[in-house]
């Protein structure tokens, strides 16, 4: 192999990376890097030396054929379950958001998740205590009968409060749920049996894991999509290997015919696996394709025979104890693979001879990094494997892995890295040049040559918003540049870059970046070109198309004069989209760049009307229509996932409010009777009797009947001369009416007052109860702010005898329940007795009584009272030491 | 409030930058240029403390756009760069250097030289480590351009010298170029790095003036100083220098031996093997076999006919002489589990036969000896060869059949 006669000048330093740098949005532009003297041409030197830049040389021009990526396969059957989004596990609160501004740290919604645990696993959380208490809790609407009342309390109001709390989410007046808070204060340390500290630790750990996965999920590294190119140069049928199914645990081998847009041919070969497919790797050795599949705990290898249509054969499966993080296939020897696990072990896996452990090192190579991610790939020498962690790459000889190894890449000054830079994806570029290697980090891409380790042949800041987890190489030759497509997962970015390698069959020269990088369409980008959908469907579509990318593959298709490139992208939802690019020099004679078409500075393809986009070309539009139809059909078939929007009434109104009047009123009964009568007679009702409505229309002076309006009656009377009589009649009538109305009102007021005093005395009886339970703690009586002070004699009334006017509901049986002896006899430990007493005493109070009042009154009356109860409890408790002192 | 204002400004700045990036990544240079004019406003209120501030971004983006915009000219480009140079003191040298690269790539060598001289005379306060490096590079590139003008004058002089006419002023100018070039080039190659271009030029200068010791020392330093990266070219240059100097075989071999240790797949390994095969010493011939086996381990030399014929020749020699069969055995031991699949599969036999008959001949010879006459590769190729009635394939078959016991001894 020839080595370039001269390399681009570069400084070489050893040590940790420089400190100053960070992510820079435009770092990849505007630099030539270095220059080198180009080929002087045959014969003697030219008069002037010609220079070539390391970056900024000319590359091939590839133009997208469509305005967006087009689906190549029908959407996978069954619904897709989206992975957790940031809003699912982050704490969302305005106050918190304010705090977070400027800080990069996120607050995990720990409390919500812990709450989910109690809701999702109530049996584990409250099982035995629930069984213990369930006789004493009443959840129905009916009133408790006397014998039951002695040992049972109603929890209905509490349940309603819980329901209302759901409905009130986002409401500012959250303090209204004080009843709940109170409840939780009272029983949070004894109600559930799970050791809370332990549970919280586990949950926190899991949340951190989920969050770090959301920030960067490295399990997808390498991508789960592979393209097996056509066998013969003339053939156009290749094979797409991709995962699918609801859990992405089905492996499909789909034959594809490369036309203007690739078309599926026949039904795919399908294998069901026992885990989610994280990576699909493929390599062609000796004319046979080998496909490796990695899921968390299993790795498998398939062989795809040479002729098209033949079914792929599974060769071998291995199981790992620790999740595998890498699976690569040797491009040199058939049936040889490299496997890495997160425990830091690297294996060479030969289908015939089995596994050979090459290295086991849980520590990272060059400096300490917490990530357990490991990667391994092959090199130009079939017995030498590279092994990578986040800090760099080493090459080791499988024949003597302990002794023979050398450093290929180090995150450090050697490669001019930045601080915090980490290896994301290493890839052997053997098809372009046998000794070249690609390393991507979150900031840059590096092309390395294993013959000159540590010094990158090429370095370029890729400026992608997320670390590139996927890469696909399309090798060129001595005339054509090597094409490299990089892909990210969460942001779905695709970037096409080209480089001139060391041309190992022609004249050799150092690596150069060719042309400018080019952004390709992402799956989500097609959303703007689709017809407008119904809002909920639009949302579903948005979610579906915006799913993180899970893989990338590409194919070059040479078709006479026209060269085209097909780039496939797989999403986590299992959708495979494809876009075609055409090589300009060969295909389109008109060199007008797309740039000229757009006019206003504010315009972007985003704002262009879809009509102007070439997407409306027949095939693509048809593909889209079919895909959308299949997608919506899929959603319709599985309706359990889209709940129809529903609103619980119980959250908006109290039970009492919802309960209608017990029976038809007298008026209704009368009207019904009329109706029935009229129907029997076959006549009509001329007009409703206005007098019948009189109890409702109290404040208005009622009008006498007669079919005439008061004015005409009065006029008639005036006309006939007895106007005085009319006035007399009228005043006497209304006087009777008014008197009656007044009486009625007074009666109502009385009734209301009675009720009010009743509830007031009831509350006071409660205070008395808690007092009772405190036994000696006769603290000062509570004064609730919203109510007149309670008469002092209530406080001085002897214990045991309920104050006058308190309803029989005041729980004398509770006393028995609350007495120390009875609690002890029930086996409740001493330290919990008081809590339980507090709790029961509070809940003996009547949710049953409260709904009798109109809602607004209830909130004014009973809730402050409960607050004051709470404060009293703390007050008395606080006082205890002083009294003992 | 001003905080909010800052925040909003930052947001709109980012949005604008995103638009620019988007346009550039889709090669819409005109649109990007339009957005850049808006982005220039961010210079006025530069609150950022990021290491790449707006001014650097404008320089980078502007340069990129001007390189690709259909209506830009070199003059406009230079004008833009001059403005950029004044925008940031810290970046001055880098902008100069990049400008020089642009001029050089566009063939404007004289302008580049002027720009380099100007940059070299620039002084501003204390230099940071990076600025120091950039200054050294500027000087080195100036030295390189001086070298080119030296070599131009040297050519003129040599041509005229042949005519019997010597120009004193040209000669003087040439010497002054030499001095300037040598001084600057000498400086940079002391610092660890990859300086292939500079080393080559400096050695050329030294050799012309007959300072072979200095040249040898420079190349030795470049190849063997452990602070420098293990650059194969350093060893190649040293080897070529030694060869030009007509140095002894021994020193050539030792130079190549080190190259072999670093890069066993290097193309010079074939020369090395030929050199070693000719040697009288057993040890050297043994090394030769090792070298050629190692070279063929690599995927890059899988189809290298020269390498295969070297191996075939040496193996044949050993088999005929029936001495040192253990050498083959030793080499083969570490390869016998993977070479058959890597080199001698039936698929490769077919393909090699179709693509390159002489390659398949050499490989079949090696396969026949190493794997016996029943090996797939040998069987296929010899069969095809006999069918095509090629004489040497028949000879090959005969040869392998005659020496089939060798296979047993190697594999046993």
């Amino acid at each position: 192999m020839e080595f370039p006669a001269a390399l681009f000048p570069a400084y070489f330093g050893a040590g940790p990376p420089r400190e100053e740098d960070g992510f820079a949005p435009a770092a990849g532009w505007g630099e030539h890097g270095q220059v080198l003297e180009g080929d002087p041409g045959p014969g003697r030197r030219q008069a002037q030396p010609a220079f070539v830049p390391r970056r900024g040389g000319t590359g091939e021009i590839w133009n997208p054929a469509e305005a967006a990526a087009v689906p190549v396969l029908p959407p996978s059957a069954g619904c897709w379950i989206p992975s957790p989004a940031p809003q699912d596990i982050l704490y969302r609160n305005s106050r918190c958001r304010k705090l977070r501004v400027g800080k990069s740290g996120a607050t995990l919604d720990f409390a919500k998740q812990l709450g989910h645990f109690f809701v999702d696993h109530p049996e584990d959380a409250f099982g035995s205590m629930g069984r213990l208490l369930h006789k004493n809790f009443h959840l129905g609407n009916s009133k408790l009968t006397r014998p039951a009342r002695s040992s049972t309390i109603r929890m209905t109001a509490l349940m309603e409060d819980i329901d209302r709390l759901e409905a009130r989410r986002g409401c500012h007046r959250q303090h209204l749920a004080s009843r709940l808070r109170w409840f939780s204060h009272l029983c949070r340390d004894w109600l559930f049996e799970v050791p809370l500290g332990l549970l919280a630790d586990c949950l926190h750990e899991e949340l951190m894991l989920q969050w770090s996965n959301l920030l960067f999920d490295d399990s997808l590294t390498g991508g789960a999509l592979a393209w097996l190119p056509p066998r013969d140069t003339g053939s156009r049928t290749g094979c797409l290997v991709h995962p699918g199914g609801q859990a992405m645990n089905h492996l499909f081998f789909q034959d594809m015919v490369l036309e203007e847009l690739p078309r599926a041919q026949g039904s795919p070969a399908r294998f069901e696996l026992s885990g989610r497919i994280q990576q699909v790797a493929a390599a062609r050795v000796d004319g046979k394709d080998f496909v490796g599949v990695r899921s968390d705990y299993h790795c498998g290898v398939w062989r795809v025979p040479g002729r098209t249509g033949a079914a792929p054969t599974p060769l071998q499966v291995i199981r790992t104890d620790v999740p595998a993080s890498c699976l690569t296939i040797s491009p040199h020897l058939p049936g040889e693979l490299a496997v890495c696990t997160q425990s830091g072990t690297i294996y060479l896996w030969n289908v015939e001879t089995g596994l050979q452990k090459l290295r086991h090192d849980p520590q990272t190579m060059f400096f300490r990094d917490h990530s357990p991610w490991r990667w391994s790939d092959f090199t130009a020498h079939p017995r030498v494997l590279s092994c990578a962690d986040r800090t760099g790459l080493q090459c080791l000889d499988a024949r003597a892995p302990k002794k023979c190894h050398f450093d290929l890449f180090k995150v450090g000054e050697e490669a001019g890295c930045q601080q915090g830079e980490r290896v994301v994806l290493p890839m052997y570029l053997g098809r372009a040049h046998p000794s070249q290697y690609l390393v991507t980090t979150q900031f840059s891409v590096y092309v390395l040559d294993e013959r000159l380790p540590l010094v990158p042949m090429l370095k370029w800041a890729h400026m992608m918003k997320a670390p590139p987890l996927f890469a696909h190489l399309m090798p060129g030759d001595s005339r054509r540049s090597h094409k490299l497509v990089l892909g990210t997962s969460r942001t779905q970015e695709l970037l096409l870059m080209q480089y001139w390698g060391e041309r190992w069959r022609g004249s050799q020269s150092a690596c150069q970046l060719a042309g400018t990088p080019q952004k390709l369409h992402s799956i989500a980008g097609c959303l703007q070109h689709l017809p407008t959908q119904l809002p909920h469907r639009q949302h579903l579509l948005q979610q579906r198309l915006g799913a993180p990318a899970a893989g990338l593959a590409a194919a070059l298709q040479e078709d006479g004069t026209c060269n085209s490139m097909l780039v496939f992208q797989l999403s986590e939802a299992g959708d495979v989209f494809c876009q075609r690019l055409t090589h300009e020099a060969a295909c389109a004679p008109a060199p007008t760049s797309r740039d000229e078409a757009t006019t206003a500075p504010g315009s972007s393809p985003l704002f262009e009307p879809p009509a102007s986009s070439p997407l409306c070309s027949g095939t693509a539009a048809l593909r889209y229509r079919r895909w959308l139809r299949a997608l919506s059909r899929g959603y319709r078939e599985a309706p359990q996932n889209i709940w129809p929007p529903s609103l619980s009434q119980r959250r908006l109104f109290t039970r009492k409010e919802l309960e209608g009047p017990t029976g038809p009123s007298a008026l209704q009964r009368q009207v019904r009777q009329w109706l029935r009568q009229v129907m029997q007679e076959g006549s009509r009702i001329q007009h409703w009797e206005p007098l019948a409505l009189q109890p409702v229309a109290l404040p208005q002076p009622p009008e006498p009947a007669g079919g005439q309006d008061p004015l005409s009656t009065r006029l008639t009377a005036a006309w006939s001369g007895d106007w005085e009589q009319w006035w007399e009649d009228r005043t006497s009538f209304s006087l009777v009416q008014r008197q009656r109305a007044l009486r009625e009102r007074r009666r109502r007021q009385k009734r209301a007052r009675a009720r009010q005093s009743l509830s007031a005395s009831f509350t006071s009886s409660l205070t008395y109860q808690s007092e009772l339970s405190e036994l000696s703690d006769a603290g000062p009586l509570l004064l609730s702010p919203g109510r007149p002070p309670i008469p002092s004699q209530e406080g001085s009334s002897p214990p045991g005898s309920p104050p006058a006017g308190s309803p029989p509901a005041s729980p004398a049986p509770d006393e028995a329940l609350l007495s120390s002896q009875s609690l002890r006899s029930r086996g409740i430990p001493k330290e919990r007795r008081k809590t339980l007493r507090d709790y029961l005493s509070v809940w003996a109070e009547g949710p049953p009584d409260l709904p009798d009042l109109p809602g607004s009154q209830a909130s004014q009356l009973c809730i402050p009272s409960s607050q004051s109860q709470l404060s009293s409890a703390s007050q008395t408790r606080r006082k205890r030491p002083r009294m003992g002192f | 409030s001003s905080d909010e204002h800052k925040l909003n400004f930052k947001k709109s700045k980012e949005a604008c930058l995103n638009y620019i990036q988007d346009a550039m990544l889709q090669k819409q240079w005109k649109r990007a240029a339009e957005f850049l004019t808006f982005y220039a406003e961010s210079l006025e209120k530069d609150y950022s403390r990021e290491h790449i501030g707006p001014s650097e971004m404008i320089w980078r983006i502007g340069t990129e756009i001007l390189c690709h915009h259909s209506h830009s000219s070199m003059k406009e480009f230079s004008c833009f760069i001059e403005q950029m140079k004044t925008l940031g003191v810290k970046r001055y040298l880098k902008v100069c250097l990049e400008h020089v690269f642009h001029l050089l790539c566009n063939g404007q060598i004289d302008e580049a030289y002027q720009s380099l001289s100007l940059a070299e005379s620039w002084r501003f306060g204390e230099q940071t480590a990076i600025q120091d490096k950039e200054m050294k590079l500027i000087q080195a590139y100036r030295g390189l351009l001086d070298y080119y003008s030296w070599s131009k004058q040297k050519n003129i002089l040599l041509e005229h010298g042949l005519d019997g006419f010597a120009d004193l002023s040209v000669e003087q100018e040439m010497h002054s170029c030499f001095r300037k070039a040598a001084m600057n080039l000498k400086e940079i190659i002391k610092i660890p790095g990859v300086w292939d271009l500079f080393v080559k030029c400096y050695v050329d200068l030294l050799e012309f003036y007959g300072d072979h010791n200095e040249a040898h020392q420079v190349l030795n330093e470049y190849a063997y100083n452990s602070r420098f990266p293990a650059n194969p070219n350093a060893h190649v240059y040293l080897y070529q220098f030694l060869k030009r100097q007509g140095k002894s075989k021994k020193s050539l071999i030792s130079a190549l031996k080190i190259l072999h240790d670093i890069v066993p797949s290097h193309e010079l390994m074939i020369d090395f093997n030929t050199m070693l095969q000719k040697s009288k010493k057993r040890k050297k011939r043994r090394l030769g076999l090792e070298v050629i086996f190692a070279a063929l381990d690599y995927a890059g030399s899988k189809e290298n006919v020269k390498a295969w014929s070297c191996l075939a020749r040496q193996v044949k020699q050993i088999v005929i002489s029936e001495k040192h069969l253990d050498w083959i055995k030793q080499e083969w031991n570490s390869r016998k589990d993977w070479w058959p699949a890597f080199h001698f599969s039936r698929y490769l036999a077919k393909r090699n036969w179709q693509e390159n008959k002489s390659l398949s001949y050499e490989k079949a010879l090696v396969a026949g000896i190493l794997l016996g006459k029943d090996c797939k590769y040998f069987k296929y190729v010899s069969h095809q060869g006999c069918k095509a009635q090629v004489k040497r394939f028949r000879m090959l078959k005969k040869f392998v059949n005659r020496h089939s016991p060798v296979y047993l001894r190697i594999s046993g």
Side-chain angles (χ1 to χ4, degrees), chain A residues 1-5 7 9-12 24-25 27 29-34 37 55 286 380 382 516 519 595 601, chain B residues 21-22 25 30 35 52 60 64 68 98 101-102 130 133 136 141 148 192-194 196 233 237 265 267 297 299 345:
Chain A
M1 271 182 296
E2 294 179 2
F3 193 76
L7 299 168
Y11 279 102
F12 180 79
W29 300 118
E31 262 187 56
H32 287 294
Q34 295 287 339
E37 199 192 341
R55 207 194 85 73
D286 279 5
T516 52
K519 195 170 129 182
D595 172 42
Chain B
Q21 286 274 50
D22 216 52
L25 285 171
K30 213 167 164 181
F35 280 123
I52 290 196
R60 284 180 179 276
E64 193 73 34
H68 296 95
E98 284 295 330
F101 292 156
H102 188 79
I130 291 179
K133 280 182 172 180
K136 286 259 162 55
Y141 273 105
Y148 285 127
V194 178
D196 291 0
N233 278 341
Y237 297 157
S265 62
E267 80 248 35
D297 277 349
S345 68

Side-chain angles (χ1 to χ4, degrees), chain A residues 80 489-490 492 523 542-550 570-573:
Chain A
W80 162 66
S489 173
R490 197 147 291 279
Q492 290 191 350
I523 293 180
Q542 220 165 356
Q543 201 179 32
R544 174 97 179 196
L545 294 175
L570 170 79
S571 81
E572 262 188 10

Side-chain angles (χ1 to χ4, degrees), chain B residues 323-338:
Chain B
K323 266 190 234 162
H324 313 305
L325 275 175
D326 55 318
W327 294 354
I328 302 183
K329 192 178 170 178
Q330 269 177 28
E331 291 301 323
W332 183 238
N333 257 344
S334 63
R335 295 180 172 87
K336 64 181 172 196
D337 54 335
W338 57 279

Side-chain angles (χ1 to χ4, degrees), chain A residues 7-12 34 54 455-456, chain B residues 137 191-196 198 229:
Chain A
L7 299 168
F8 284 104
Y11 279 102
F12 180 79
Q34 295 287 339
R54 183 178 253 187
V455 182
Chain B
L137 265 181
I191 306 163
V194 178
W195 310 121
D196 291 0
F198 303 140

